[in-house]
């Protein structure tokens, strides 16, 4: 099937087996290998990308379901010369060890802050109130991204810095 | 994954018509269906993508309730100001489930129709009557720590994993559907899922090709609302048990193959029983299997705590 997607601002046309996941389309067909395949079942978050601005697990979506969508991967957030503030914050705080989960963590964190700004509640949000960006809120809202190296304290610190404009 | 053909439905009517094709399945968020397709547990021949149909709105009804389009994402429902104001427990139940990434994709209709997380259902090297009718139940004598304590049968002791469905059951919600013939039906969420009996592979009251188009929630009952869930880790884990309270109504989650409306407990409350007595009346009908015996005292304590939280919310003012 032929699909058209905008990947990191660039219009791309692909002829795909309908079984191709969005993650495989990005990695194997568009050679955007920043997004990682961890569990391939939506349990680890390493494949997190933004589809029309919303964070999703690219492994649990078919590419054909995204015909016409705008997809942003880690490659579209920043470049080695011009890092996204969230990327800089992860570097500053040493918020990774092996780095495998990091592209998903950073994409997830960028979208998480947008969700937070929009007032989306989490289990940490008091009833009827707007959320405040406590460490508990950051941890809860990032629970879909697993880090086997357990860099969680540094990840929370990096996200807080980026959120508060210090990165 | 087995080969399949794919189409994006142009309308709900076109979707139910296309669903007459052999092996056709609807897909919207796909977070459960694609997971199962990768494991060969689901193998549809044709996918009808209904995810872009204009059925994602959330509107107040004239009666003071809400009509939630079946294609609304979990995130959209949980974040909606009307949902948070009128049915805070529904928002809280939704964010208790999955991860943010999954909730951004998952839709209301699919959430209700998601399949069990029973480990034997997921393991093709073990028997499972739900996956392969007639093969037996691996969980019955296996590691059944998270199995049902209500409504199970010798054929199936699995549980339904949805948090949202538990809240909707306590809220007396109904699903609206479009049938294969183009007719409309309205089914209480409490009646949507079948008891397993000896046909646990038949899971819902929906006919082949019938599409959920909306969930209608009636006005909130007087008294408070609360939802509590217990699980093995703090976030992003399936539940061991949950309790939804809406006024005098109680529903229990992850203890049966459907959201379990605790009618015996509700009747006891009407008769003046205190919360502990009332949930005790319900749990008198529980049939734990050994490894899940702990769910009986767990649900007892959880229900008392959740009823207390709901009462406190009611006394705290507002509609909480």
């Amino acid at each position: 099937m032929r699909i058209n997607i905008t990947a990191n601002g660039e219009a791309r046309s692909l002829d795909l087996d309908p079984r191709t996941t969005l993650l495989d389309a990005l990695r194997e067909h568009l050679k955007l290998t920043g997004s990682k395949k961890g569990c391939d079942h939506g349990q680890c978050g390493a494949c997190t990308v933004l589809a029309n601005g919303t964070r999703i697990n690219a492994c649990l979506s078919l590419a054909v379901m995204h015909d016409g969508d705008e997809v942003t991967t880690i490659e579209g957030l920043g470049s080695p010369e011009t890092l996204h503030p969230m990327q800089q914050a992860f570097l500053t705080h040493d918020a990774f060890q092996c780095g495998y989960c990091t592209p998903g963590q950073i994409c997830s964190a960028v979208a998480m802050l947008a969700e937070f700004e929009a007032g989306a509640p989490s289990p940490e949000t008091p009833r009827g109130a707007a959320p405040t960006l406590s460490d508990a809120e950051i941890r809860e809202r990032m629970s879909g991204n697993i880090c086997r190296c357990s860099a969680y304290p540094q990840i929370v610190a990096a996200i807080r810095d980026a959120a508060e404009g210090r990165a | 994954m087995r080969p399949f053909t794919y189409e994006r439905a142009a309308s709900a009517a076109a979707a139910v018509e296309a669903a007459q094709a052999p092996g056709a399945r609807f897909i919207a968020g796909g977070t459960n269906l694609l997971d199962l397709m990768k494991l060969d547990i689901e193998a549809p021949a044709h996918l009808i993508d209904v995810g872009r149909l204009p059925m994602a709105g959330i509107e107040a009804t004239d009666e003071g309730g809400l009509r939630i389009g079946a294609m609304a994402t979990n995130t959209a429902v949980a974040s909606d100001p009307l949902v948070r104001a009128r049915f805070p427990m529904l928002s809280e139940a939704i964010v208790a489930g999955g991860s943010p990434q999954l909730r951004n994709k998952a839709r209301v209709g699919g959430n209700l129709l998601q399949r069990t997380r029973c480990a034997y259902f997921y393991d093709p090297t073990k028997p499972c009557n739900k996956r392969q009718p007639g093969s037996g139940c691996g969980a019955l004598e296996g590691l059944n720590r998270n199995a049902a304590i209500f409504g199970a049968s010798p054929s199936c002791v699995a549980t339904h994993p949805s948090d949202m469905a538990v809240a909707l059951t306590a809220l007396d919600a109904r699903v609206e559907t479009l049938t294969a013939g183009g007719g409309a039906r309205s089914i209480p969420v409490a009646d949507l899922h079948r008891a397993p009996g000896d046909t646990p592979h038949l899971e819902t009251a929906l006919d082949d090709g019938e599409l959920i188009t909306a969930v209608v929630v009636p006005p909130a009952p007087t008294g408070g609302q609360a939802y509590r869930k217990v699980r093995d880790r703090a976030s992003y884990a399936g539940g061991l048990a949950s309790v939804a309270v809406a006024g005098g109504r109680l529903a229990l989650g992850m203890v049966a193959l459907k959201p379990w409306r605790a009618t015996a407990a509700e009747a006891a409350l009407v008769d003046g029983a205190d919360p502990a007595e009332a949930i005790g009346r319900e749990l008198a009908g529980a049939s734990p299997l050994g490894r899940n015996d702990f769910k009986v005292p767990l649900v007892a304590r959880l229900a008392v705590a959740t009823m207390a939280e709901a009462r406190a919310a009611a006394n705290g003012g507002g509609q909480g």
Side-chain angles (χ1 to χ4, degrees), chain A residues 6 11 16 20 22 26 56 79 120 166:
Chain A
T6 303
L16 298 172
T20 311
L22 176 61
L26 292 169
I56 62 166
S79 66
R166 282 195 297 271

Side-chain angles (χ1 to χ4, degrees), chain A residues 10-75:
Chain A
E10 199 177 324
R12 305 294 294 263
S13 182
L14 294 168
D15 191 20
L16 298 172
D17 183 319
R19 289 174 285 187
T20 311
T21 62
L22 176 61
L23 177 62
D24 285 342
L26 292 169
R27 286 182 53 84
E28 309 298 334
H29 295 266
L30 296 178
K31 305 302 177 192
L32 293 167
T33 53
S35 308
K36 296 295 186 275
K37 184 181 283 191
C39 68
D40 209 25
H41 285 279
Q43 296 171 3
C44 75
C47 67
T48 302
V49 300
L50 313 186
N52 299 329
T54 301
R55 57 176 166 163
I56 62 166
N57 300 111
C59 76
L60 279 189
S61 212
L62 295 171
V64 290
M65 294 164 71
H66 293 279
D67 186 24
D69 281 359
E70 289 187 18
V71 177
T72 303
T73 68
I74 189 71
E75 292 94 337

Side-chain angles (χ1 to χ4, degrees), chain A residues 41-42 59 61 65 127 143, chain B residues 35 38 52 92 105 235-236:
Chain A
H41 285 279
C59 76
S61 212
M65 294 164 71
R127 184 176 286 188
S143 70
Chain B
D35 186 28
K38 289 181 179 192
R52 313 252 170 171
E92 290 157 12
K105 279 207 88 201
S235 178
Y236 195 19

